[in-house]
Amino acid sequence: MTADEFDAARATLGLTDDHLAADMGVTPDIVRAWSSGAARIPPRYAQHLAWLVAAHERQAALAASGLPECEWLSSHSALSPRASREAMVKDADAVMKHLGRCSVCLARQLYIDQRFGPMPGLPRPAWLVVFEWIERIPPSFRPAIVGASLLAAATSVRVILAIPSLFSNPGRLGAALVAVVAAGAAGAVGGFAYSLTRPWLRALGRPGDYVSGVVAVGGYMGAIILAAPFAFGQLIIEGTSDLVIFVILTVAFGLFVGHHWLRRTAE
């Protein structure tokens, strides 16, 4: 996007430097630099601006069309940003179902479709892309994949920090790769422990949530202990006292997970 295209888009929106900066999450000085051509407009912000213009044009066209507004959508209250994920998903499903069967909404959408092409894509942060990828994974495999990814990533950080020593001793490279694989396998084992037990423990209500938390944490921690000689080059439990500490920490953290992370939606 050139500086002239940027100014044309801003004129369409009718926004000042300060307002446009607030909409795009940058400072007014950056907006002025884009407008003057002193700074290149990053593709992500150009895409964001194109989306704002497209949305503005469609809203203006609907306002001038004379088509009635949907009373249901006008009275629909947006959820608080603090609402639970389950509530937000339920609300989004309700809106999508309404849009698919409301004659007023369908007429307004048809009007837009006949006059405009598809909306340009809105830039998405990397975390949202990862979240959408996770959502496409079958639920029974998600804990295993997430656990494997997290532990493999944590071990990879340790390997990256050890790169200088790996260069001086190339023979340790194979051991480093084994460490990453072992950590990932440990995470997968812990995830599968949760997936296999959660369905029938959920039926027990809140007590089942606490048991699920202990099982999940115990699965992850137990797998880490088995993989520790490969992933970290040392044993984690070397005596009875270490085992007692391990059990206490597993139960305590498992109860915490069961209480805060596995709280039933109905509550």
Side-chain angles (χ1 to χ4, degrees):
M1 176 178 283
T2 65
D4 290 340
E5 292 171 337
F6 175 82
D7 283 337
R10 181 171 57 172
T12 299
L13 295 172
L15 296 177
T16 65
D17 290 345
D18 290 346
H19 289 153
L20 184 57
D23 281 352
M24 302 188 72
V26 297
T27 65
D29 287 340
I30 291 178
V31 170
R32 284 188 281 271
W34 289 344
S35 179
S36 66
R40 173 178 168 273
I41 305 170
R44 180 165 67 94
Y45 291 101
Q47 187 180 1
H48 187 181
L49 186 60
W51 188 92
L52 291 174
V53 170
H56 176 83
E57 291 174 342
R58 285 158 175 76
Q59 288 299 320
L62 283 173
S65 68
L67 292 172
E69 293 188 10
C70 174
E71 295 182 1
W72 186 89
L73 283 181
S74 299
S75 61
H76 182 71
S77 299
L79 292 178
S80 166
R82 296 183 178 181
S84 66
R85 176 177 172 272
E86 291 80 5
M88 296 181 72
V89 170
K90 184 177 180 180
D91 182 71
D93 288 342
V95 172
M96 293 304 297
K97 288 179 180 178
H98 171 83
L99 294 176
R101 62 176 179 243
C102 174
S103 59
V104 174
C105 292
L106 290 173
R108 290 168 69 86
Q109 187 60 50
L110 178 62
Y111 181 86
I112 290 298
D113 291 342
Q114 291 174 341
R115 288 158 178 78
F116 299 93
M119 279 284 291
L122 185 63
R124 298 176 298 168
W127 67 265
L128 181 58
V129 175
V130 173
F131 178 79
E132 292 175 347
W133 175 79
I134 292 175
E135 285 291 300
R136 290 194 292 268
I137 299 173
S140 59
F141 287 92
R142 289 176 194 167
I145 292 177
V146 171
S149 301
L150 291 177
L151 289 183
T155 307
S156 297
V157 171
R158 183 174 181 272
V159 171
I160 291 172
L161 294 176
I163 284 180
S165 64
L166 293 179
F167 280 125
S168 61
N169 188 0
R172 297 181 58 190
L173 179 60
L177 295 177
V178 170
V180 174
V181 173
V189 169
F192 278 123
Y194 171 82
S195 296
L196 292 174
T197 59
R198 180 59 178 162
W200 59 272
L201 287 175
R202 183 184 287 113
L204 300 178
R206 285 300 283 153
D209 294 341
Y210 290 109
V211 177
S212 288
V214 174
V215 169
V217 173
Y220 283 121
M221 296 294 289
I224 291 175
I225 289 173
L226 295 176
F230 304 98
F232 307 111
Q234 63 184 26
L235 295 173
I236 295 179
I237 294 181
E238 298 182 346
T240 304
S241 60
D242 290 341
L243 180 60
V244 171
I245 293 174
F246 165 78
V247 173
I248 293 174
L249 291 177
T250 297
V251 173
F253 189 50
L255 293 175
F256 176 86
V257 169
H259 182 75
H260 292 283
W261 297 354
L262 302 180
R263 186 181 298 276
R264 303 184 72 191
T265 305
E267 292 192 350

